[in-house]
Amino acid sequence: MWFSGGVEVTPEQIRLVQASFDRLRPQGASIVSGFYCRFFELSPTLRPLFRTPLPAQELRLLEALSAVISMLSNLQMLLPELEALAKRHVTYGVSAAHYHAAGDALLWTLERHLGEAFTPAVRSSWIAAYATLSDIMIASAEYRAA
Ligand code: HEM
């Protein structure tokens, strides 16, 4: 579900992701903290990979997400940063499968905060955008097939 298979995110999907993220921005801090809560609930074994105090980590994730979302229609420009980010994630102990777990926690968090605004079209737009981002990161991390 989380692999885009090279499918592009359409301009309309980009618009929906950006508009829903803008709507959530005022509650950004509580959203990323809710995301990590859910993530560690779903994947408790991943908690020890995180050494930075969570509030600082939450801020870093929020900044990274904001940058990626604002550049969704031009992700090529972020490729060098995303490749470096993906390679740092290998050193943190992150594997390809972990991107699926993070995607599930992200969808759950969005649904919870957007409520009725999380329409099927908004949901599939986030799925497409996250699949594209995780494809780039997984490819850049150069994981070998098991
Ligand atoms: C998919 C998009 C993701 C984005 C945009 C993202 C973003 C970030 C950022 C900005 C940092 C701060 C450190 C740095 O820049 O190197 C970070 C650290 C980290 N991320 Fe991610 N991440 C993603 C996915 C994941 C996934 C799937 C995992 C799975 C466990 C993960 C685990 C970690 C860990 C363990 C750290 C280090 C925390 C520490 O310093 O203690 N990330 N991430």
Side-chain angles (χ1 to χ4, degrees):
M1 165 188 187
W2 288 120
F3 293 110
S4 72
V7 175
E8 298 272 319
V9 189
T10 67
E12 174 62 6
Q13 288 179 321
I14 291 175
R15 195 189 65 72
L16 289 176
V17 168
Q18 289 175 337
S20 52
F21 191 69
D22 275 352
R23 192 178 171 129
L24 295 175
R25 201 176 282 273
Q27 324 153 51
S30 85
I31 288 168
V32 283
S33 102
F35 163 79
Y36 278 115
C37 265
R38 181 62 178 164
F39 187 43
F40 297 139
E41 201 173 83
L42 291 174
S43 313
T45 55
L46 297 183
R47 181 66 185 89
L49 301 184
F50 290 80
R51 289 140 198 262
T52 301
L54 266 194
Q57 174 60 24
E58 286 163 14
L59 212 64
R60 298 195 301 185
L61 179 66
L62 188 59
E63 279 170 10
L65 280 182
S66 306
V68 169
I69 289 166
S70 67
M71 295 289 286
L72 267 184
S73 49
N74 218 343
L75 268 191
Q76 297 303 320
M77 289 190 62
L78 281 187
L79 271 189
E81 281 92 344
L82 290 177
E83 282 177 9
L85 182 66
K87 292 199 163 105
R88 289 198 299 277
H89 277 68
V90 179
T91 70
Y92 302 147
V94 175
S95 74
H98 297 160
Y99 286 88
H100 296 240
D104 289 340
L106 178 67
L107 272 197
W108 181 90
T109 310
L110 290 167
E111 181 163 23
R112 189 159 161 260
H113 283 89
L114 284 168
E116 286 183 2
F118 198 58
T119 59
V122 171
R123 179 189 171 85
S124 54
S125 302
W126 276 92
I127 289 176
Y130 182 78
T132 302
L133 171 64
S134 47
D135 273 0
I136 292 174
M137 290 191 53
I138 291 167
S140 310
E142 295 169 353
Y143 292 115
R144 301 271 174 270

